[in-house]
Amino acid sequence: MQRTSLMTATAVFGLTFAAVLPVPFNASFAQTPPKESAPGPGNATTGHDAEKSSDKFAAPSPYAPQAPGVNAANIPDGPPAEASEATPPVDQISASPAHDDWPAYGRDTNATRYSPLDQITPENVGHLTRAFVYHTGSKPAAGQINKWAAETTPIKVGDGLYTCSAVDDIIKLDPGTGKEIWRHNSGVKYESIPYTAACKGVVYYTASTVPEGQPCHNRILVGTLDMRLIEVDAADGKLCEGFGYHGQVNLMKGMGESVPGFVSITAPPPVVNGAVVVNHEVLDGQRRWAPSGVIRGYDAETGRFLWAWDVNRPDQHGEPQPGQHYSRGTPNSWATMTGDNELGLVYVPTGNSAADYYSALRSPEENKVSSAVVAIDVKTGSPRWVFQTVHKDVWDYDIGSQPTLMDFPGKDGPVPALIMPTKRGQTFVLDRRDGKPVLPVEERAAPTRTDVPDDPRAPTQPWSTGMPRLGVPDLKETDMWGMSPIDQLYCRLKYRRAKYLGEFTAPEISRPWLEYPGYNGGSDWGSMAYDAKAGVLIANWNITPMYDQLVSRKKADELGLMPVDDPNFSPSAGGAEGAGAMADTPYGIVVSPFWNEFTHMMCNKPPYGMITAIDMHTQKVLWQHPLGSARANGPWGLPTHLPLTIGTPNNGGPIITAGGLIFVAATTDNLIHAFDAKTGKELWNDVLPGGGQATPMTYEYNGRQYVAIMAGGHHFMMTPVSDELVVYALPERK
């Protein structure tokens, strides 16, 4: 389930977090939690079985009448479709696209975020100026609660710079001037915004059934917050009438009961061998029997349903029959997926089953595929292999990063590999053909002591011993920190009050427990960048502990915690972050930053954000330092205006260029930064009009290199929200 990185404000040597507040949704009806049928044998390779629990919280019949899924556009469902194969595609975006383009979210099919452009170099990057600024027009209106965090990375193909607004309007710009060429209004309503209004990017696709020069030969595809797939003509932005129902597909079909904003798409769905593969986020903390985390494939030409991977219906790849639905509460995937056309696979980073902090009601099949990377055959929808990064996860260590593909230098030649970053700061390198580790992984004993009845923890957890850990040693009481001795003492007392046995400290009912590195630690949705020529991997990452506690159902009711689909839900009733009802289980959850509630400064000493370069030939750190300054941060949310680089939490990834530069924004100092790729030295930065919580991109047009960043800000990180896409270039030669 999607998490956003913890916001911060940094005092001279410290940092604060936004209050963990829920976000309102317009609930329209209560959800009838259906009981799932017993799962059959699956194809997973790793995992720990679910434990038996009381029937009190078991779901009722899977065949109970279901209200239709919410769909803002009222697109007809059509009859159930049988699984079928996609229309054979023409050549699509490759691992080596045109040098001047950035045609995909991660630039290429390997999701390297590496560009061969070299016009901008360490010697001249200091001369970058703003070439143009484009306003998407998407910001909170008067009277609306701020849910905005665009998180967008534009793409550039040929003569078009394509992007989306935070609410999924699709836009084509002139790459040299920023002039709007066309705009498609997707019609997403405010009530359909989940925790965050975000559109990470759009997808470019060339049809094989439509001749060149005809409408919808080249197409732009987007998945929406209100669960639609939309395809428009890349030339004029008009809907592709031959796709789905007049250019749209209803993704609520088969989902059962829901309410606006409970499920949504924020990541660009990849097209792999002609199949559009769709995942979606499900709001955290709501209820055990939340909508399904099903993964589905659709024909990129026609929108025809191809297959479904439904964890608790592993042998049923068709759509549910009328009156039935996909299995509920299963692990969802909200991260950007990566496709492998040669192997016919899509690599799916997964999250937890619904009710993140309580696992007793999960099926064995769910426990095998949660917090894992799952390779799915795009012809059949069947998993080819599974690699799990956390067993029986109750820490919300879902995978938010996009996998990056690479050729790893092996003894007998290159090994087709996959790099999987995690929130734990563990980076796993796997053979993408079979999921087996390329670099060593070992199972280490993990704490199992807990006072939660009938919910034992996994005895071991996987550690990537072949890669440097993006993290710091376990917390100690002497690490507690504050602006004054009194602040430090307060944090030491808070540390002593909590249970803490290391990274996998099990949940507790009787007292708080410390979760470290935290559900926003390590690498999140910004992912990593990889320079295959140099063999260098770049990662920016977080160190953000949390303070958690399970509470009884009675206490949860007293706190007013309720799921988003409850008719009485209100902004104070629990949301995707912080306290959550976890309805249909015996417990609610209270989550907060590990901070001083009075100053809003973290209890652990800085840094809270870092950037690291790793040599993938030797798996050694080349350089590493804190990322982000104190200029826009301070106690009680007040900016200090001090240019001290102390390391702030960050959201959004890096890119690398052949010019020897790394560009990254992400930090809460509202800057975009350029670093020397060899040394890590910061060479340039610029103040953005809003928070830079997005991944930048670069392209060339008419012989000039540009660098673009969506400065949309982030409501949860409390950075300024704006609608400005800022594009830089070197001054034009006269």
Side-chain angles (χ1 to χ4, degrees):
M1 301 182 191
Q2 182 163 9
R3 290 290 190 184
T4 49
S5 185
L6 295 169
M7 67 69 49
T8 150
T10 311
V12 180
F13 296 99
L15 183 109
T16 75
F17 281 79
V20 181
L21 298 175
V23 176
F25 298 86
N26 293 339
S28 59
F29 50 84
Q31 185 169 306
T32 303
K35 184 177 181 180
E36 313 305 341
S37 55
N43 297 305
T45 59
T46 303
H48 293 258
D49 289 344
E51 314 299 332
K52 293 182 179 179
S53 185
S54 169
D55 289 338
K56 178 179 178 181
F57 298 99
S61 168
Y63 303 110
Q66 293 290 304
V70 175
N71 183 262
N74 295 317
I75 303 169
D77 282 346
E82 296 297 328
S84 57
E85 291 190 8
T87 303
V90 297
D91 290 339
Q92 296 300 316
I93 296 163
S94 71
S96 300
H99 82 284
D100 55 347
D101 281 349
W102 189 285
Y105 177 71
R107 186 179 182 268
D108 46 44
T109 54
N110 288 347
T112 63
R113 294 169 186 80
Y114 171 84
S115 169
L117 297 180
D118 59 4
Q119 186 178 103
I120 303 171
T121 67
E123 290 72 31
N124 62 26
V125 67
H127 299 296
L128 282 180
T129 60
R130 294 189 183 185
F132 63 85
V133 174
Y134 173 77
H135 293 264
T136 68
S138 181
K139 292 192 296 186
Q144 292 180 341
I145 293 177
N146 177 20
K147 301 182 185 182
W148 266 250
E151 303 178 354
T152 315
T153 299
I155 65 172
K156 187 267 184 183
V157 182
D159 65 352
L161 182 65
Y162 301 93
T163 190
C164 51
S165 74
V167 291
D168 303 314
D169 288 351
I170 310 170
I171 304 158
K172 179 180 181 180
L173 306 176
D174 182 299
T177 65
K179 180 182 178 181
E180 184 178 300
I181 297 172
W182 56 254
R183 183 187 188 104
H184 174 82
N185 186 336
S186 296
V188 173
K189 298 179 181 179
Y190 177 77
E191 56 265 27
S192 294
I193 296 174
Y195 182 70
T196 295
C199 177
K200 291 186 175 69
V202 299
V203 178
Y204 188 92
Y205 177 74
T206 299
S208 61
T209 58
V210 178
E212 187 173 357
Q214 296 298 309
C216 289
H217 173 66
N218 295 317
R219 309 176 182 195
I220 302 296
L221 172 68
V222 72
T224 67
L225 298 173
D226 57 6
M227 293 295 286
R228 289 175 288 152
L229 271 180
I230 300 176
E231 268 195 8
V232 301
D233 190 335
D236 58 18
K238 294 181 180 179
L239 288 168
C240 294
E241 290 290 326
F243 180 81
Y245 183 78
H246 300 295
Q248 304 182 72
V249 173
N250 178 10
L251 298 177
M252 287 306 297
K253 184 180 181 182
M255 294 294 288
E257 290 188 1
S258 187
V259 294
F262 206 158
V263 290
S264 57
I265 299 174
T266 60
V271 179
V272 191
N273 290 343
V276 183
V277 184
V278 180
N279 62 355
H280 57 266
E281 66 174 78
V282 180
L283 281 182
D284 279 350
Q286 306 307 304
R287 60 168 68 249
R288 171 65 186 104
W289 307 116
S292 179
V294 62
I295 307 296
R296 289 168 287 181
Y298 295 86
D299 190 306
E301 305 273 338
T302 66
R304 185 180 76 254
F305 172 85
L306 299 175
W307 50 260
W309 176 55
D310 187 5
V311 172
N312 283 334
R313 305 186 321 143
D315 300 319
Q316 301 178 48
H317 295 292
E319 292 182 305
Q321 296 298 311
Q324 299 182 26
H325 48 78
Y326 295 113
S327 53
R328 298 178 75 86
T330 51
N332 73 91
S333 169
W334 57 268
T336 304
M337 300 174 287
T338 303
D340 188 326
N341 290 307
E342 183 176 346
L343 295 177
L345 297 175
V346 62
Y347 304 106
V348 182
T350 67
N352 294 354
S353 298
D356 294 71
Y357 300 91
Y358 182 70
S359 65
L361 297 175
R362 300 174 189 171
S363 72
E365 289 301 318
E366 290 173 63
N367 276 340
K368 291 175 182 177
V369 300
S370 66
S371 298
V373 55
V374 181
I376 296 178
D377 189 313
V378 297
K379 285 188 176 181
T380 66
S382 296
R384 190 89 59 85
W385 56 260
V386 176
F387 181 88
Q388 193 166 53
T389 65
V390 180
H391 304 317
K392 212 175 177 189
D393 185 0
V394 287
W395 302 274
D396 196 20
Y397 283 146
D398 52 349
I399 302 179
S401 296
Q402 181 182 25
T404 292
L405 310 186
M406 66 173 294
D407 289 327
F408 188 86
K411 294 181 180 179
D412 300 321
V415 176
L418 174 151
I419 301 169
M420 190 69 262
T422 70
K423 293 180 179 180
R424 295 177 52 208
Q426 299 289 321
T427 305
F428 297 93
V429 182
L430 312 172
D431 187 323
R432 63 179 187 263
R433 297 168 296 187
D434 56 20
K436 294 179 180 179
V438 172
L439 293 174
V441 174
E442 65 180 46
E443 291 284 333
R444 294 182 179 176
T448 57
R449 194 181 77 203
T450 178
D451 63 0
V452 183
D454 302 317
D455 194 18
R457 304 277 33 90
T460 65
Q461 296 290 351
W463 290 75
S464 179
T465 56
M467 283 287 287
R469 181 188 179 189
L470 301 180
V472 296
D474 288 346
L475 286 175
K476 305 184 300 295
E477 186 178 330
T478 52
D479 293 328
M480 298 305 101
W481 184 88
M483 290 193 302
S484 70
I486 294 176
D487 295 323
Q488 186 185 56
L489 176 62
Y490 176 83
C491 287
R492 293 181 75 140
L493 292 172
K494 194 170 181 178
Y495 176 91
R496 289 187 181 186
R497 179 172 175 251
K499 172 186 173 184
Y500 181 60
L501 301 174
E503 180 175 334
F504 290 101
T505 301
E508 290 279 295
I509 305 167
S510 58
R511 58 174 172 160
W513 86 90
L514 274 170
E515 180 187 347
Y516 185 65
Y519 66 64
N520 286 288
S523 297
D524 205 352
W525 55 264
S527 310
M528 296 178 174
Y530 179 61
D531 178 350
K533 290 185 177 180
V536 174
L537 185 69
I538 302 296
N540 51 291
W541 47 281
N542 291 316
I543 310 163
T544 52
M546 303 299 294
Y547 208 68
D548 308 341
Q549 187 170 5
L550 290 173
V551 295
S552 67
R553 179 55 51 206
K554 179 180 178 181
K555 181 65 174 178
D557 292 342
E558 291 174 357
L559 292 172
L561 302 180
M562 60 186 68
V564 66
D565 56 3
D566 190 296
N568 297 314
F569 181 84
S570 69
S572 61
E577 304 285 351
M582 296 208 308
D584 313 319
T585 78
Y587 309 105
I589 182 67
V590 175
V591 180
S592 66
F594 182 41
W595 65 351
N596 183 319
E597 292 87 348
F598 306 102
T599 62
H600 289 183
M601 297 181 68
M602 294 299 293
C603 278
N604 60 308
K605 62 185 179 183
Y608 309 107
M610 301 282 286
I611 186 167
T612 301
I614 299 172
D615 185 335
M616 289 300 293
H617 296 288
T618 63
Q619 295 85 56
K620 302 295 184 183
V621 172
L622 296 172
W623 52 260
Q624 176 174 283
H625 58 71
L627 175 65
S629 73
R631 63 168 298 277
N633 307 291
W636 303 288
L638 301 174
T640 65
H641 304 291
L642 295 174
L644 299 175
T645 300
I646 56 95
T648 73
N650 50 88
N651 244 356
I655 67 170
I656 311 173
T657 72
L661 294 169
I662 297 162
F663 290 96
V664 63
T667 52
T668 57
D669 55 12
N670 307 325
L671 297 177
I672 180 171
H673 314 259
F675 296 99
D676 187 311
K678 290 183 179 180
T679 66
K681 180 182 179 181
E682 184 167 2
L683 303 174
W684 170 85
N685 63 57
D686 189 43
V687 179
L688 297 168
Q693 282 70 57
T695 301
M697 54 85 73
T698 186
Y699 61 91
E700 185 177 288
Y701 189 66
N702 290 337
R704 192 181 188 195
Q705 184 181 352
Y706 297 83
V707 176
I709 178 70
M710 182 64 208
H714 206 295
H715 65 108
F716 188 59
M717 297 179 78
M718 288 186 67
T719 55
V721 170
S722 86
D723 67 343
E724 296 181 49
L725 174 66
V726 184
V727 181
Y728 298 89
L730 295 173
E732 291 187 277
R733 296 178 181 177
K734 296 181 180 179

